Amino acid sequence: MMNLFPWRRLTIQAHDTLSSKIPSLSFINFSPSLFHSQPEQEDIFDPPFSSALKTHKPQKSITEKHENAASFEDSEKTHNFTINSDLPFDFRYSYSETNPAVEPIGFREPPRFSPFGPGRLDRKWTGTSAPRLQPVDLEKVAEERRRILGETLSEEETVELVEKYRHNDCSRQMNLGRGGVIHNMLEDIHGHWKRAEAVRIKCLGVPTLDMYNVCSHLEEKSGGKVIYRHINILLLYRGRNYDPKSRPTVPVMLWKPLAPIYPKLVKNVADGLTFEETKAMRNKGLNAPPLTKLSRNGVYVNVVAKVRAAFETEEVVRLDCTHVGTSDCKRIGVKLRDLVPCVPILFKDEQIILWRGTKDQEHHSSGKAS
């Protein structure tokens, strides 16, 4: 075979001579120093390769610890965050959209957690309100309000203020939404009154069903006076003798409390009807043409008058509230129940079905209104 492949014989001989010249590699020690260079003495503090130096802090003595604790307690006493407010009403999240006479049947969060923060208010939160601890002298409150308002504005002064603040480009504007007159809104009103005589308030959503209720709560809680109202636009005047430095302290809510659980709004069987009659009324209302269509965060100023006029000829009325939301539908139903008055018998697929009630209920409600 070697004769047939002479190149194979030359390769084997060259390999033998090379292995005889090179010593065996088994005794060579492959230390890591052959592949990694040792750092020089001047590079020992190189951050990527040097270990972090641990600094040992001197331990404080027991006397120093007691002194620090005493100073911390003194600072807590000096920086007391409890707010003592003298406002003559109970604090609520919403003043215009809640009825204090209706008690909730449950809570979605523990009532012990106050939205004003722990220890920031001298009143106790009950889950729906923070009632005033001391009785209120209504005569003294009314006298102080008259003093701040001062003399009644003349026609020229009223026209000048209205022309200055009623336009859409007014910088002193606030939006009143579905929550109505909320507590933190009072602080914003006083913030605008610090630099302006009046503030423009634009009302949208469910509160616009009863604008008189909104105006009365704004005047009562802020101490100002509504000098202009056009549909859903209000101008709230601060008064002649208003002093920003002596204004009342309004504690701010840190978060929106969860709405409590109230009794069921719609009964399975309406008062004055049987189960079959209630079912027939609901089907009749669903098949009836809608009286009006309400939009989300719209202006509902004329809805009460339309429903009252419709009940003169119709027994059941349907309101189309598509895209309004289930929560706002129920709020609208509660408002119309008290304002028209009427009986909500169904909330389904964002449709509100209202029944005008029996004749006895109509006479009873008209006697209340008168």
Side-chain angles (χ1 to χ4, degrees):
M1 291 294 292
M2 292 297 179
N3 296 328
L4 294 177
F5 301 100
W7 58 270
R8 178 69 175 171
R9 184 174 61 253
L10 295 175
T11 306
I12 293 173
Q13 291 177 359
H15 179 270
D16 294 340
T17 55
L18 183 62
S19 60
S20 61
K21 292 181 179 180
I22 298 177
S24 178
L25 301 177
S26 60
F27 69 93
I28 300 178
N29 184 12
F30 292 93
S31 61
S33 61
L34 297 176
F35 301 96
H36 301 283
S37 61
Q38 293 291 339
E40 297 180 1
Q41 187 67 20
E42 60 195 18
D43 298 329
I44 58 175
F45 296 106
D46 193 8
F49 302 101
S50 60
S51 59
L53 298 177
K54 296 183 180 179
T55 58
H56 298 280
K57 296 182 180 180
Q59 295 183 357
K60 294 183 179 180
S61 61
I62 299 176
T63 56
E64 291 180 356
K65 291 182 180 179
H66 288 305
E67 291 177 359
N68 293 338
S71 62
F72 180 74
E73 292 178 358
D74 294 339
S75 63
E76 281 191 341
K77 292 179 181 179
T78 54
H79 299 284
N80 190 7
F81 296 101
T82 303
I83 299 175
N84 300 321
S85 181
D86 296 332
L87 292 174
F89 53 86
D90 299 343
F91 294 160
R92 292 178 173 271
Y93 172 74
S94 176
Y95 297 105
S96 62
E97 304 306 305
T98 55
N99 187 4
V102 180
E103 294 293 334
I105 59 177
F107 297 96
R108 292 184 173 87
E109 63 181 0
R112 65 179 181 273
F113 296 134
S114 173
F116 296 96
R120 295 186 68 252
L121 189 65
D122 60 342
R123 306 185 185 187
K124 183 179 179 181
W125 180 256
T126 62
T128 57
S129 65
R132 183 180 171 84
L133 302 177
Q134 300 176 356
V136 181
D137 188 358
L138 298 179
E139 294 182 359
K140 184 177 179 181
V141 173
E143 182 181 356
E144 180 65 17
R145 183 170 182 269
R146 288 193 295 267
R147 185 192 67 80
I148 294 176
L149 290 177
E151 298 179 0
T152 306
L153 292 175
S154 62
E155 294 185 3
E156 293 79 7
E157 293 174 334
T158 304
V159 170
E160 182 181 357
L161 285 175
V162 169
E163 186 64 25
K164 183 178 180 181
Y165 293 104
R166 73 179 180 87
H167 298 285
N168 292 330
D169 57 351
C170 176
S171 60
R172 302 299 172 186
Q173 173 178 316
M174 298 178 59
N175 294 327
L176 189 145
R178 56 181 297 189
V181 182
I182 60 176
H183 179 78
N184 288 353
M185 188 177 182
L186 304 178
E187 178 66 23
D188 297 336
I189 290 174
H190 286 287
H192 283 290
W193 280 350
K194 187 177 180 180
R195 298 176 177 83
E197 295 181 274
V199 57
R200 181 177 187 265
I201 301 176
K202 184 178 181 181
C203 307
L204 296 172
V206 182
T208 57
L209 286 170
D210 191 3
M211 291 298 297
Y212 175 78
N213 182 40
V214 173
C215 294
S216 62
H217 278 288
L218 284 173
E219 291 182 346
E220 178 186 355
K221 302 303 186 295
S222 66
K225 184 179 180 180
V226 177
I227 60 174
Y228 172 79
R229 173 187 164 188
H230 177 66
I231 307 178
N232 64 323
I233 304 298
L234 306 175
L235 289 185
L236 189 62
Y237 175 60
R238 68 181 184 181
R240 291 183 183 272
N241 303 322
Y242 178 82
D243 185 9
K245 296 181 180 179
S246 61
R247 72 177 184 86
T249 303
V250 181
V252 180
M253 284 190 177
L254 302 183
W255 66 83
K256 176 183 177 181
L258 296 179
I261 303 172
Y262 288 98
K264 193 175 180 180
L265 177 61
V266 178
K267 298 180 180 180
N268 294 331
V269 180
D271 295 337
L273 298 177
T274 62
F275 178 77
E276 289 76 12
E277 291 174 345
T278 304
K279 187 176 180 180
M281 285 290 179
R282 290 169 178 167
N283 292 331
K284 181 180 178 180
L286 289 174
N287 296 325
L291 175 65
T292 183
K293 184 175 182 180
L294 305 180
S295 59
R296 186 176 181 85
N297 291 331
V299 181
Y300 312 144
V301 176
N302 301 323
V303 174
V304 176
K306 288 183 179 180
V307 174
R308 287 176 180 172
F311 277 150
E312 294 180 359
T313 56
E314 300 292 336
E315 190 175 12
V316 182
V317 169
R318 177 167 73 95
L319 301 179
D320 187 3
C321 302
T322 308
H323 307 302
V324 172
T326 305
S327 178
D328 283 359
C329 285
K330 293 183 178 180
R331 292 169 185 261
I332 293 171
V334 172
K335 288 269 189 181
L336 293 177
R337 180 193 63 182
D338 300 332
L339 296 173
V340 173
C342 59
V343 180
I345 58 176
L346 184 63
F347 293 94
K348 183 179 180 182
D349 298 333
E350 296 184 339
Q351 305 293 315
I352 302 177
I353 309 301
L354 302 174
W355 176 48
R356 67 182 179 183
T358 60
K359 293 183 179 180
D360 296 336
Q361 292 175 344
E362 291 178 4
H363 291 305
H364 182 66
S365 61
S366 61
K368 279 186 176 181
S370 61

